[in-house]
Coordinates of all heavy atoms in Angstrom, one line a residue:
P1 N 0.8 -1.2 0.0 CA 0.0 0.0 0.0 C 0.9 1.3 0.0 O 1.9 1.3 0.6 CB -0.8 -0.1 1.3 CG -0.4 -1.3 2.0 CD 0.7 -2.0 1.2
V2 N 0.4 2.3 -0.7 CA 1.0 3.6 -0.7 C 0.3 4.5 0.2 O -1.0 4.6 0.1 CB 1.1 4.1 -2.1 CG1 1.7 5.5 -2.2 CG2 1.9 3.2 -3.0
I3 N 1.0 5.3 1.0 CA 0.4 6.2 1.9 C 0.9 7.6 1.6 O 2.2 7.8 1.6 CB 0.7 5.9 3.4 CG1 0.2 4.5 3.8 CG2 0.1 7.0 4.3 CD1 0.7 4.0 5.1
Y4 N 0.0 8.5 1.2 CA 0.4 9.9 0.9 C 0.6 10.7 2.1 O -0.1 10.6 3.1 CB -0.6 10.6 0.0 CG -0.2 11.9 -0.5 CD1 0.3 12.0 -1.8 CD2 -0.3 13.0 0.2 CE1 0.7 13.2 -2.3 CE2 0.1 14.3 -0.3 CZ 0.6 14.3 -1.5 OH 1.1 15.5 -2.0
N5 N 1.7 11.6 2.1 CA 1.9 12.4 3.3 C 2.4 13.8 2.9 O 3.2 13.9 2.0 CB 3.1 11.7 4.1 CG 3.4 12.5 5.4 OD1 2.6 13.3 5.9 ND2 4.6 12.4 5.9
G6 N 1.8 14.8 3.4 CA 2.2 16.2 3.2 C 1.1 17.1 2.7 O 0.4 16.8 1.7
D7 N 0.9 18.2 3.3 CA 0.0 19.2 2.9 C -1.4 18.7 2.8 O -2.1 19.0 1.8 CB 0.4 20.0 1.7 CG 1.7 20.7 1.9 OD1 1.9 21.2 3.1 OD2 2.5 20.9 1.0
V8 N -1.9 18.0 3.8 CA -3.3 17.5 3.8 C -4.0 18.3 4.9 O -3.7 18.2 6.1 CB -3.3 16.0 4.1 CG1 -4.8 15.5 4.1 CG2 -2.5 15.2 3.1
F9 N -5.0 19.1 4.5 CA -5.7 20.0 5.5 C -7.2 19.8 5.5 O -7.8 20.1 6.5 CB -5.4 21.4 5.2 CG -3.9 21.8 5.3 CD1 -3.1 21.8 4.3 CD2 -3.4 22.0 6.6 CE1 -1.7 22.1 4.4 CE2 -2.0 22.3 6.8 CZ -1.2 22.3 5.7
T10 N -7.8 19.3 4.4 CA -9.2 19.1 4.4 C -9.6 17.8 3.8 O -8.8 17.1 3.2 CB -9.9 20.2 3.5 OG1 -9.6 20.0 2.2 CG2 -9.5 21.6 4.0
W11 N -10.9 17.4 4.0 CA -11.3 16.1 3.4 C -11.2 16.2 1.8 O -11.0 15.2 1.2 CB -12.8 15.8 3.8 CG -13.7 16.8 3.3 CD1 -14.1 18.0 4.0 CD2 -14.4 16.9 2.1 NE1 -15.0 18.7 3.3 CE2 -15.2 18.0 2.1 CE3 -14.5 16.0 1.0 CZ2 -16.0 18.4 1.0 CZ3 -15.3 16.3 -0.1 CH2 -16.1 17.5 -0.1
R12 N -11.3 17.4 1.3 CA -11.2 17.6 -0.2 C -9.7 17.2 -0.6 O -9.5 16.6 -1.6 CB -11.5 19.0 -0.6 CG -12.9 19.4 -0.6 CD -13.1 20.8 -1.1 NE -14.5 21.3 -0.8 CZ -14.9 21.8 0.3 NH1 -14.0 22.1 1.3 NH2 -16.1 22.2 0.4
D13 N -8.7 17.6 0.2 CA -7.4 17.2 -0.1 C -7.2 15.7 -0.1 O -6.5 15.1 -0.9 CB -6.4 17.8 1.0 CG -6.3 19.3 0.9 OD1 -6.6 19.9 -0.1 OD2 -6.0 19.9 2.0
V14 N -7.8 15.0 0.9 CA -7.7 13.6 1.0 C -8.3 12.9 -0.3 O -7.6 12.1 -0.9 CB -8.5 13.0 2.2 CG1 -8.6 11.5 2.2 CG2 -7.8 13.6 3.5
E15 N -9.5 13.3 -0.7 CA -10.1 12.8 -1.9 C -9.3 13.1 -3.1 O -9.0 12.2 -4.0 CB -11.5 13.3 -2.1 CG -12.4 12.9 -0.9 CD -12.5 11.3 -0.8 OE1 -12.6 10.6 -1.8 OE2 -12.5 10.9 0.4
R16 N -8.8 14.3 -3.3 CA -8.0 14.7 -4.5 C -6.7 13.9 -4.5 O -6.3 13.4 -5.6 CB -7.7 16.2 -4.4 CG -6.9 16.7 -5.6 CD -6.6 18.2 -5.5 NE -6.1 18.6 -4.2 CZ -4.8 18.6 -3.8 NH1 -3.9 18.0 -4.6 NH2 -4.4 19.0 -2.6
L17 N -6.0 13.8 -3.4 CA -4.7 13.1 -3.4 C -4.9 11.6 -3.7 O -4.0 11.0 -4.3 CB -4.0 13.4 -2.1 CG -3.6 14.9 -1.9 CD1 -3.2 15.1 -0.5 CD2 -2.5 15.3 -2.9
K18 N -5.9 11.0 -3.2 CA -6.1 9.6 -3.4 C -6.4 9.4 -4.9 O -5.8 8.4 -5.5 CB -7.3 9.1 -2.6 CG -7.0 8.9 -1.2 CD -8.2 8.5 -0.4 CE -8.1 7.1 0.1 NZ -9.2 6.7 1.0
Q19 N -7.1 10.3 -5.6 CA -7.3 10.2 -7.0 C -6.1 10.5 -7.8 O -5.8 9.7 -8.7 CB -8.5 11.1 -7.5 CG -9.8 10.6 -7.1 CD -10.9 11.4 -7.8 OE1 -10.7 12.3 -8.5 NE2 -12.2 10.9 -7.5
E20 N -5.4 11.5 -7.5 CA -4.2 11.9 -8.2 C -3.0 10.9 -8.1 O -2.4 10.6 -9.1 CB -3.7 13.3 -7.8 CG -4.5 14.4 -8.2 CD -4.0 15.8 -7.7 OE1 -3.0 15.8 -7.0 OE2 -4.7 16.8 -7.9
S21 N -2.8 10.4 -6.9 CA -1.7 9.5 -6.7 C -2.0 8.0 -6.7 O -1.1 7.2 -6.9 CB -1.0 9.9 -5.3 OG -1.9 9.4 -4.3
G22 N -3.3 7.7 -6.5 CA -3.6 6.3 -6.5 C -3.3 5.6 -5.1 O -3.3 4.4 -5.0
C23 N -3.0 6.5 -4.1 CA -2.6 5.9 -2.8 C -3.8 5.3 -2.1 O -4.9 5.6 -2.5 CB -2.0 7.1 -1.9 SG -3.2 8.3 -1.5
S24 N -3.5 4.4 -1.2 CA -4.6 3.7 -0.5 C -5.0 4.5 0.8 O -6.1 4.3 1.2 CB -4.1 2.3 0.0 OG -3.0 2.4 0.8
S25 N -4.2 5.4 1.3 CA -4.5 6.2 2.4 C -3.7 7.4 2.5 O -2.7 7.6 1.7 CB -4.4 5.4 3.7 OG -3.1 4.8 3.8
V26 N -4.0 8.3 3.4 CA -3.4 9.6 3.5 C -3.0 9.9 5.0 O -3.9 9.7 5.8 CB -4.3 10.7 2.9 CG1 -3.7 12.1 3.1 CG2 -4.6 10.5 1.5
M27 N -1.9 10.4 5.2 CA -1.5 10.9 6.6 C -1.8 12.3 6.8 O -1.5 13.1 5.9 CB 0.0 10.6 6.8 CG 0.4 9.2 6.8 SD 2.2 9.0 6.8 CE 2.6 9.4 8.5
V28 N -2.4 12.7 7.9 CA -2.8 14.1 8.2 C -2.0 14.5 9.4 O -2.1 13.9 10.4 CB -4.3 14.2 8.4 CG1 -4.6 15.6 8.7 CG2 -5.1 13.6 7.2
G29 N -1.2 15.5 9.2 CA -0.3 16.0 10.3 C -0.8 17.4 10.8 O -1.6 17.6 11.6
R30 N -0.2 18.5 10.1 CA -0.5 19.8 10.5 C -2.0 20.1 10.4 O -2.6 20.9 11.2 CB 0.3 20.8 9.6 CG 1.7 20.9 10.0 CD 2.5 21.8 9.1 NE 2.5 21.3 7.8 CZ 2.5 22.0 6.7 NH1 2.6 23.3 6.7 NH2 2.6 21.5 5.5
G31 N -2.6 19.6 9.3 CA -4.1 19.8 9.2 C -4.9 19.4 10.3 O -5.8 20.0 10.8
A32 N -4.5 18.2 10.9 CA -5.2 17.7 12.1 C -4.9 18.6 13.3 O -5.8 18.8 14.2 CB -4.8 16.3 12.4
L33 N -3.7 19.1 13.4 CA -3.4 20.0 14.5 C -4.1 21.3 14.4 O -4.6 21.8 15.5 CB -1.9 20.3 14.5 CG -0.9 19.2 15.1 CD1 0.5 19.6 14.9 CD2 -1.2 19.0 16.6
W34 N -4.3 21.8 13.2 CA -4.9 23.1 13.1 C -6.4 23.0 13.3 O -7.0 23.9 14.0 CB -4.6 23.7 11.8 CG -3.2 24.2 11.7 CD1 -2.3 24.3 12.7 CD2 -2.5 24.6 10.5 NE1 -1.0 24.7 12.2 CE2 -1.1 24.9 10.8 CE3 -2.8 24.7 9.2 CZ2 -0.2 25.3 9.9 CZ3 -1.9 25.1 8.2 CH2 -0.6 25.4 8.6
N35 N -7.1 22.1 12.7 CA -8.5 21.9 13.0 C -8.8 20.5 12.4 O -9.1 20.3 11.2 CB -9.3 22.9 12.3 CG -10.8 22.8 12.7 OD1 -11.3 21.7 13.0 ND2 -11.6 23.8 12.5
M36 N -8.8 19.5 13.2 CA -9.0 18.1 12.8 C -10.4 17.9 12.2 O -10.5 16.9 11.5 CB -8.6 17.1 13.9 CG -9.5 17.2 15.1 SD -8.8 16.3 16.5 CE -7.6 17.4 17.1
S37 N -11.3 18.7 12.5 CA -12.7 18.4 12.0 C -12.8 18.7 10.5 O -13.7 18.2 9.9 CB -13.7 19.3 12.7 OG -13.6 20.7 12.3
T38 N -11.8 19.4 9.9 CA -11.9 19.7 8.5 C -11.3 18.6 7.6 O -11.4 18.5 6.4 CB -11.2 21.0 8.1 OG1 -9.8 20.9 8.4 CG2 -11.8 22.2 8.9
A39 N -10.6 17.7 8.3 CA -9.8 16.7 7.5 C -10.4 15.4 7.2 O -9.9 14.6 6.4 CB -8.4 16.5 8.2
F40 N -11.6 15.1 7.8 CA -12.1 13.7 7.7 C -13.4 13.5 7.0 O -13.5 12.6 6.2 CB -12.1 13.1 9.1 CG -10.8 13.1 9.8 CD1 -10.5 14.0 10.8 CD2 -9.8 12.3 9.3 CE1 -9.2 14.0 11.4 CE2 -8.5 12.3 9.9 CZ -8.2 13.2 10.9
V41 N -14.4 14.3 7.3 CA -15.7 14.1 6.7 C -16.3 15.4 6.2 O -16.4 16.4 7.0 CB -16.7 13.4 7.7 CG1 -18.0 13.1 7.1 CG2 -16.1 12.1 8.3
E42 N -16.8 15.4 5.0 CA -17.5 16.6 4.5 C -18.7 16.9 5.3 O -19.5 16.1 5.7 CB -17.9 16.3 3.0 CG -18.7 17.4 2.4 CD -19.2 17.1 1.0 OE1 -19.2 15.9 0.6 OE2 -19.7 18.0 0.3
G43 N -18.8 18.2 5.5 CA -20.0 18.7 6.3 C -19.9 18.6 7.8 O -20.8 18.9 8.5
K44 N -18.8 18.1 8.3 CA -18.7 17.9 9.7 C -17.7 18.9 10.4 O -17.3 18.8 11.5 CB -18.2 16.5 10.1 CG -19.1 15.4 9.6 CD -20.3 15.3 10.5 CE -21.2 14.1 10.0 NZ -22.3 14.0 10.8
E45 N -17.4 19.9 9.6 CA -16.4 20.9 10.1 C -17.0 21.7 11.3 O -18.2 22.0 11.3 CB -16.0 21.9 9.0 CG -15.3 21.3 7.8 CD -16.3 20.8 6.7 OE1 -17.5 20.9 6.9 OE2 -15.8 20.4 5.7
K46 N -16.1 22.0 12.2 CA -16.5 22.8 13.4 C -15.5 24.0 13.5 O -14.4 23.9 13.0 CB -16.4 21.9 14.7 CG -17.3 20.7 14.7 CD -17.1 20.0 16.0 CE -18.0 18.7 16.0 NZ -17.7 17.9 17.2
P47 N -16.0 25.0 14.2 CA -15.0 26.1 14.4 C -13.8 25.7 15.2 O -13.9 24.8 16.1 CB -15.9 27.1 15.3 CG -17.3 26.7 15.0 CD -17.3 25.2 14.8
A48 N -12.6 26.2 14.8 CA -11.4 25.8 15.4 C -11.4 25.9 16.9 O -10.8 25.0 17.6 CB -10.2 26.6 14.8
L49 N -12.0 26.9 17.5 CA -12.0 27.1 18.9 C -12.8 26.0 19.6 O -12.4 25.5 20.7 CB -12.5 28.5 19.3 CG -12.4 28.9 20.7 CD1 -10.9 28.9 21.2 CD2 -12.9 30.3 20.9
E50 N -13.9 25.6 19.0 CA -14.7 24.5 19.5 C -13.9 23.2 19.5 O -13.9 22.4 20.5 CB -16.0 24.3 18.7 CG -16.9 23.3 19.2 CD -18.1 23.2 18.4 OE1 -18.6 24.2 17.8 OE2 -18.7 22.0 18.3
V51 N -13.1 23.0 18.4 CA -12.3 21.8 18.3 C -11.2 21.8 19.4 O -11.0 20.8 20.1 CB -11.7 21.7 16.9 CG1 -10.6 20.5 16.9 CG2 -12.7 21.4 15.9
C52 N -10.6 22.9 19.6 CA -9.6 23.1 20.7 C -10.2 22.8 22.1 O -9.5 22.1 22.8 CB -9.0 24.5 20.6 SG -7.6 24.7 21.7
R53 N -11.3 23.3 22.4 CA -11.9 23.1 23.7 C -12.2 21.6 23.9 O -12.0 21.0 24.9 CB -13.2 23.9 23.8 CG -13.0 25.3 24.0 CD -14.4 26.0 24.2 NE -14.2 27.4 24.4 CZ -14.9 28.4 23.8 NH1 -15.8 28.1 23.0 NH2 -14.6 29.6 24.0
E54 N -12.7 20.9 22.8 CA -13.0 19.5 22.9 C -11.7 18.7 23.1 O -11.7 17.8 23.9 CB -13.8 19.0 21.7 CG -14.0 17.5 21.7 CD -15.0 17.1 22.8 OE1 -15.7 17.9 23.3 OE2 -14.9 15.9 23.2
Y55 N -10.7 19.1 22.4 CA -9.4 18.5 22.6 C -8.9 18.6 24.0 O -8.5 17.6 24.6 CB -8.3 19.1 21.6 CG -7.0 18.6 21.8 CD1 -6.6 17.3 21.4 CD2 -6.0 19.3 22.5 CE1 -5.3 16.8 21.6 CE2 -4.7 18.8 22.7 CZ -4.4 17.5 22.3 OH -3.2 17.0 22.5
V56 N -9.0 19.7 24.6 CA -8.5 19.9 26.0 C -9.4 19.0 26.9 O -8.8 18.4 27.9 CB -8.5 21.4 26.4 CG1 -8.3 21.5 27.9 CG2 -7.5 22.1 25.6
R57 N -10.7 19.0 26.7 CA -11.6 18.2 27.6 C -11.1 16.7 27.5 O -11.0 16.0 28.5 CB -13.0 18.3 27.1 CG -13.7 19.5 27.7 CD -15.3 19.4 27.5 NE -15.6 19.5 26.1 CZ -15.9 20.7 25.6 NH1 -15.8 21.8 26.3 NH2 -16.3 20.8 24.3
R58 N -10.8 16.2 26.3 CA -10.4 14.8 26.1 C -9.1 14.6 26.7 O -8.8 13.5 27.3 CB -10.3 14.5 24.6 CG -11.6 14.6 23.9 CD -12.5 13.3 24.1 NE -13.8 13.4 23.5 CZ -14.2 12.7 22.5 NH1 -13.4 11.7 22.0 NH2 -15.4 12.8 22.0
C59 N -8.2 15.5 26.6 CA -6.8 15.4 27.2 C -7.0 15.2 28.7 O -6.3 14.4 29.4 CB -5.9 16.6 26.9 SG -5.4 16.6 25.2
L60 N -7.8 16.0 29.4 CA -8.1 15.9 30.8 C -8.7 14.6 31.1 O -8.3 13.9 32.1 CB -9.0 17.1 31.3 CG -8.3 18.4 31.2 CD1 -9.4 19.5 31.5 CD2 -7.2 18.5 32.2
E61 N -9.7 14.2 30.3 CA -10.4 12.9 30.6 C -9.4 11.7 30.5 O -9.5 10.8 31.3 CB -11.5 12.7 29.5 CG -12.3 11.5 29.6 CD -13.3 11.3 28.6 OE1 -13.6 12.3 27.8 OE2 -13.9 10.2 28.4
Y62 N -8.5 11.7 29.5 CA -7.6 10.6 29.4 C -6.2 10.8 30.0 O -5.3 10.1 29.7 CB -7.4 10.3 27.9 CG -8.7 9.8 27.3 CD1 -9.5 10.6 26.4 CD2 -9.2 8.5 27.6 CE1 -10.7 10.1 25.9 CE2 -10.4 8.0 27.1 CZ -11.1 8.8 26.2 OH -12.3 8.3 25.7
E63 N -6.1 11.9 30.8 CA -4.9 12.2 31.6 C -3.7 12.3 30.7 O -2.6 11.8 30.9 CB -4.7 11.1 32.7 CG -5.8 11.1 33.7 CD -5.6 10.0 34.7 OE1 -4.6 9.3 34.8 OE2 -6.6 9.9 35.6
N64 N -3.9 13.0 29.5 CA -2.7 13.3 28.6 C -1.8 14.2 29.4 O -2.2 15.1 30.0 CB -3.3 14.0 27.4 CG -2.2 14.1 26.3 OD1 -1.6 13.1 25.9 ND2 -2.1 15.3 25.8
P65 N -0.5 14.0 29.3 CA 0.5 14.9 30.0 C 0.2 16.4 29.5 O 0.1 16.6 28.3 CB 1.8 14.4 29.5 CG 1.6 13.0 29.2 CD 0.2 12.9 28.6
M66 N 0.2 17.3 30.5 CA -0.1 18.7 30.2 C 0.9 19.3 29.2 O 0.6 20.1 28.4 CB -0.2 19.5 31.5 CG -1.4 19.2 32.3 SD -2.9 19.3 31.3 CE -3.3 21.0 31.4
S67 N 2.2 18.9 29.3 CA 3.2 19.4 28.3 C 2.8 19.1 26.9 O 3.0 19.9 26.0 CB 4.6 19.0 28.7 OG 4.7 17.6 28.6
F68 N 2.3 17.9 26.7 CA 1.8 17.4 25.3 C 0.6 18.2 24.9 O 0.5 18.7 23.8 CB 1.5 15.9 25.3 CG 2.7 15.0 25.6 CD1 2.4 13.7 25.8 CD2 4.0 15.5 25.7 CE1 3.5 12.8 26.0 CE2 5.0 14.6 25.9 CZ 4.8 13.3 26.1
T69 N -0.3 18.4 25.8 CA -1.6 19.1 25.6 C -1.2 20.6 25.2 O -1.8 21.1 24.2 CB -2.5 19.1 26.8 OG1 -2.8 17.7 27.1 CG2 -3.8 19.8 26.5
K70 N -0.4 21.2 26.0 CA 0.0 22.6 25.8 C 0.6 22.7 24.4 O 0.3 23.7 23.6 CB 1.0 23.0 26.8 CG 1.5 24.4 26.7 CD 2.5 24.8 27.7 CE 3.2 26.1 27.5 NZ 4.2 26.4 28.5
Y71 N 1.5 21.8 24.0 CA 2.2 21.9 22.7 C 1.1 21.9 21.6 O 1.2 22.7 20.7 CB 3.2 20.8 22.5 CG 3.8 20.7 21.1 CD1 4.8 21.5 20.8 CD2 3.2 19.9 20.2 CE1 5.4 21.5 19.5 CE2 3.7 19.9 18.9 CZ 4.8 20.7 18.6 OH 5.3 20.7 17.3
T72 N 0.2 20.9 21.7 CA -0.8 20.8 20.6 C -1.7 22.0 20.6 O -2.1 22.5 19.5 CB -1.6 19.5 20.8 OG1 -0.7 18.4 20.8 CG2 -2.6 19.3 19.7
V73 N -2.1 22.5 21.7 CA -3.0 23.6 21.8 C -2.3 24.9 21.2 O -3.0 25.6 20.4 CB -3.5 23.9 23.2 CG1 -4.2 25.3 23.3 CG2 -4.5 22.8 23.6
L74 N -1.1 25.1 21.4 CA -0.3 26.2 20.8 C -0.3 26.0 19.3 O -0.5 27.0 18.6 CB 1.1 26.2 21.4 CG 1.2 26.7 22.8 CD1 2.6 26.6 23.3 CD2 0.7 28.1 23.0
R75 N -0.2 24.8 18.8 CA -0.2 24.6 17.3 C -1.6 24.9 16.8 O -1.7 25.5 15.7 CB 0.2 23.2 17.0 CG 1.6 22.7 17.4 CD 2.7 23.4 16.7 NE 3.1 24.7 17.1 CZ 3.8 25.1 18.3 NH1 4.1 24.1 19.1 NH2 4.1 26.3 18.5
M76 N -2.6 24.6 17.5 CA -4.0 24.9 17.1 C -4.2 26.4 17.0 O -4.8 26.9 16.1 CB -5.0 24.2 18.1 CG -5.0 22.7 18.1 SD -6.0 22.1 19.4 CE -6.9 20.8 18.6
F77 N -3.8 27.1 18.0 CA -4.0 28.5 18.1 C -3.2 29.3 17.0 O -3.6 30.4 16.7 CB -3.7 29.1 19.5 CG -4.8 29.0 20.4 CD1 -4.9 27.9 21.3 CD2 -5.9 29.9 20.4 CE1 -6.0 27.8 22.2 CE2 -7.0 29.8 21.2 CZ -7.0 28.7 22.1
E78 N -2.1 28.7 16.5 CA -1.4 29.4 15.4 C -2.3 29.7 14.2 O -2.0 30.6 13.5 CB -0.2 28.5 15.0 CG 0.9 28.5 15.9 CD 2.0 27.6 15.5 OE1 1.8 26.8 14.5 OE2 3.1 27.6 16.1
N79 N -3.3 28.9 14.0 CA -4.1 29.0 12.8 C -5.5 29.7 13.1 O -6.2 29.8 12.1 CB -4.3 27.6 12.2 CG -4.7 27.7 10.8 OD1 -4.1 28.4 10.0 ND2 -5.8 27.0 10.4
L80 N -5.7 30.0 14.3 CA -7.0 30.7 14.6 C -7.0 32.1 14.0 O -5.9 32.8 14.0 CB -7.3 30.8 16.1 CG -7.7 29.5 16.8 CD1 -7.8 29.7 18.3 CD2 -8.9 28.9 16.2
P81 N -8.1 32.6 13.5 CA -8.2 34.0 13.0 C -7.8 35.0 14.1 O -8.2 34.8 15.2 CB -9.6 34.1 12.5 CG -10.2 32.8 12.6 CD -9.4 31.9 13.4
K82 N -7.1 36.0 13.7 CA -6.7 37.0 14.7 C -7.8 38.1 14.8 O -8.4 38.4 13.8 CB -5.4 37.7 14.2 CG -4.2 36.8 13.9 CD -3.7 36.1 15.2 CE -2.5 35.2 14.9 NZ -2.7 33.8 14.7
K83 N -8.1 38.5 16.0 CA -9.1 39.6 16.2 C -8.4 40.9 16.2 O -7.3 41.1 16.8 CB -9.8 39.3 17.5 CG -10.7 38.1 17.4 CD -11.6 38.1 18.7 CE -12.5 36.9 18.6 NZ -13.4 36.8 19.7
G84 N -9.0 41.9 15.4 CA -8.5 43.2 15.2 C -8.0 43.8 16.4 O -7.2 44.6 16.7

């Protein structure tokens, strides 16, 4: 099997890359960090802040180390729209 990796941010990217390359699957890295709801299923996108809040709730629930949680949340906030 061939796995595509690189610049995958939305479900549209996944579908396009599978067709263009013939790969069997796609790895999602930065796209999942920025807003994982956009990368998997059409029509299921959520606002980035909502995704971030849910991520933190899950990290607390599953006792994810806070240093890991902090790192990921900082990566998520890098892509949030800036307020004037």
Side-chain angles (χ1 to χ4, degrees):
V2 175
I3 302 171
Y4 187 95
N5 181 25
D7 294 329
V8 180
F9 296 96
T10 68
W11 63 270
R12 288 181 190 90
D13 293 334
V14 172
E15 295 304 316
R16 178 180 53 80
L17 294 168
K18 286 174 110 174
Q19 284 191 357
E20 287 177 4
S21 70
C23 65
S24 60
S25 54
V26 175
M27 294 173 72
V28 180
R30 286 178 296 151
L33 280 176
W34 290 348
N35 186 338
M36 63 192 80
S37 76
T38 64
F40 302 107
V41 181
E42 177 183 11
K44 298 289 184 178
E45 297 90 355
K46 297 179 180 178
L49 192 55
E50 183 180 330
V51 171
C52 186
R53 285 183 181 135
E54 179 63 24
Y55 174 76
V56 171
R57 276 194 290 272
R58 298 280 176 116
C59 287
L60 292 169
E61 179 181 349
Y62 293 107
E63 299 178 3
N64 191 50
M66 287 310 274
S67 60
F68 297 169
T69 302
K70 178 182 172 183
Y71 174 84
T72 303
V73 167
L74 288 172
R75 300 292 79 76
M76 293 170 135
F77 276 99
E78 285 177 350
N79 200 46
L80 287 177
K82 308 292 186 262
K83 291 188 178 183

